Amino acid sequence: EQYRWDSLNNKIAHTDSKLSKTKAEKSSKGNKLTKWLFSKKENETGSSKSAQNSEQRKQDSLFKAGPRPTLPDSSYTYAKAYHKVRAFRKDLQWVCDSLNYTSKDSLAELFYDPVIWSEANQIVSKKVELYVKHKQVERMEFTEDVMISSVDDSIKKLYNQVKGKSATGWFKNNELYRYDIFGNSQSIYFMREKNKLSGVNISESTDMKIYVKNRAIQRINYLTKPESRMVPQKMMADEELELKGFVWKADVRPKSKT
């Protein structure tokens, strides 16, 4: 059976939706990155290669805050960036220690404490794999110990949080619309009625599916053995309002391309 959180009635309800087969959705056959990160090189030689690389450096603004990546001679583009890599797009930013990229698989791998921001959401994982298709982000794979969080009340420092062993973030038109959370999923979500805090929903489930609309969480489906309780905030200690491992890292978020 599958369940979802009914925010109108503050309870868990049955749902007929089924968790999509991840392997089918994750097919990235034929992905081409072209101009989103680096242009694909095709048998360039002599001055033409030098001219194209120079032009590419002018066009690319994603890694201006990090070291210049290395581009081995190949029919595909391979890039590596080391130490304090920062990336900025209007709709997506990230920081990490190092990065590998290959146009063959349209794949960028972020290593060592990567943090990604998509609009109001902060995503932390031990490793992140970013896939691009038709010049747009298709999905992100968070392969170990993922934590997704967003601000509920910045003054009182209240944060909505979701945690799991791994997760996939799905994008449409470069906008995040769904998270699939896998393994020992946990969530803390602040419930509001007419902008007034009505309680704190604390939930656990084997897997979760989170839907995002207008850059905010619209609903959460709890899949397999869900447990949930609603608790008044005043009855909870401050440490109970944060999942283990939660850290808000807004101070290191890139604010511009420089």
Side-chain angles (χ1 to χ4, degrees):
E1 287 187 300
Q2 301 179 4
Y3 305 81
R4 64 181 177 83
W5 177 253
D6 185 344
S7 60
L8 294 178
N9 299 306
N10 288 337
K11 67 178 183 178
I12 285 184
H14 291 272
T15 178
D16 293 328
S17 64
K18 296 182 178 180
L19 186 64
S20 302
K21 294 184 178 180
T22 305
K23 290 184 179 180
E25 285 188 289
K26 292 180 181 177
S27 174
S28 57
K29 185 178 181 180
N31 287 359
K32 301 296 181 182
L33 186 58
T34 61
K35 295 182 180 178
W36 196 81
L37 288 173
F38 302 95
S39 293
K40 180 178 179 180
K41 303 194 302 178
E42 296 187 4
N43 301 321
E44 303 161 339
T45 58
S47 60
S48 62
K49 178 188 291 186
S50 177
Q52 182 168 338
N53 285 345
S54 176
E55 180 63 24
Q56 179 57 43
R57 286 194 294 270
K58 293 178 182 178
Q59 293 176 1
D60 177 50
S61 60
L62 196 58
F63 291 102
K64 282 187 175 180
R68 181 176 296 175
T70 58
L71 300 174
D73 189 13
S74 171
S75 58
Y76 292 98
T77 295
Y78 296 87
K80 293 184 178 181
Y82 297 98
H83 309 309
K84 298 182 180 180
V85 179
R86 296 163 57 84
F88 179 88
R89 286 170 59 99
K90 184 178 179 180
D91 54 350
L92 189 70
Q93 305 87 43
W94 76 64
V95 297
C96 62
D97 176 75
S98 56
L99 175 146
N100 287 342
Y101 165 72
T102 170
S103 64
K104 183 177 181 180
D105 301 313
S106 298
L107 168 65
E109 298 176 288
L110 285 62
F111 299 98
Y112 302 111
D113 301 320
V115 186
I116 292 178
W117 294 269
S118 176
E119 303 296 350
N121 299 295
Q122 172 186 284
I123 311 107
V124 177
S125 180
K126 289 188 177 180
K127 180 185 174 184
V128 178
E129 298 176 352
L130 186 153
Y131 293 84
V132 175
K133 186 176 183 180
H134 304 313
K135 305 179 186 180
Q136 295 186 336
V137 180
E138 180 190 30
R139 74 178 192 273
M140 287 187 179
E141 298 290 346
F142 306 96
T143 59
E144 187 177 354
D145 295 338
V146 61
M147 176 86 73
I148 304 167
S149 52
S150 61
V151 176
D152 175 80
D153 188 320
S154 59
I155 297 176
K156 295 182 179 180
K157 296 185 178 180
L158 303 178
Y159 303 92
N160 297 314
Q161 304 150 61
V162 178
K163 180 180 180 180
K165 287 186 175 180
S166 62
T168 301
W170 294 97
F171 288 75
K172 185 180 295 182
N173 298 323
N174 266 345
E175 186 170 326
L176 185 68
Y177 72 93
R178 195 183 82 216
Y179 295 103
D180 294 340
I181 314 295
F182 306 104
N184 296 339
S185 302
Q186 301 172 277
S187 70
I188 292 178
Y189 193 75
F190 293 88
M191 308 302 298
R192 294 185 175 274
E193 296 179 3
K194 297 181 179 179
N195 294 323
K196 184 178 180 180
L197 185 63
S198 58
V200 183
N201 175 256
I202 303 173
S203 301
E204 295 184 4
S205 180
T206 302
D207 303 315
M208 294 182 186
K209 188 179 274 192
I210 303 173
Y211 294 88
V212 178
K213 187 175 182 180
N214 296 327
R215 305 174 183 177
I217 294 177
Q218 182 185 35
R219 72 177 190 274
I220 302 176
N221 286 7
Y222 300 91
L223 312 171
T224 314
K225 298 181 180 180
E227 295 182 5
S228 181
R229 57 194 175 100
M230 180 75 77
V231 182
Q233 182 200 349
K234 61 184 179 181
M235 294 181 62
M236 298 181 66
D238 290 344
E239 57 269 21
E240 294 179 301
L241 298 175
E242 296 181 357
L243 294 173
K244 184 178 179 180
F246 168 76
V247 179
W248 187 246
K249 299 186 176 184
D251 57 323
V252 298
R253 183 175 187 173
K255 301 297 192 298
S256 66
K257 296 179 181 179
T258 56

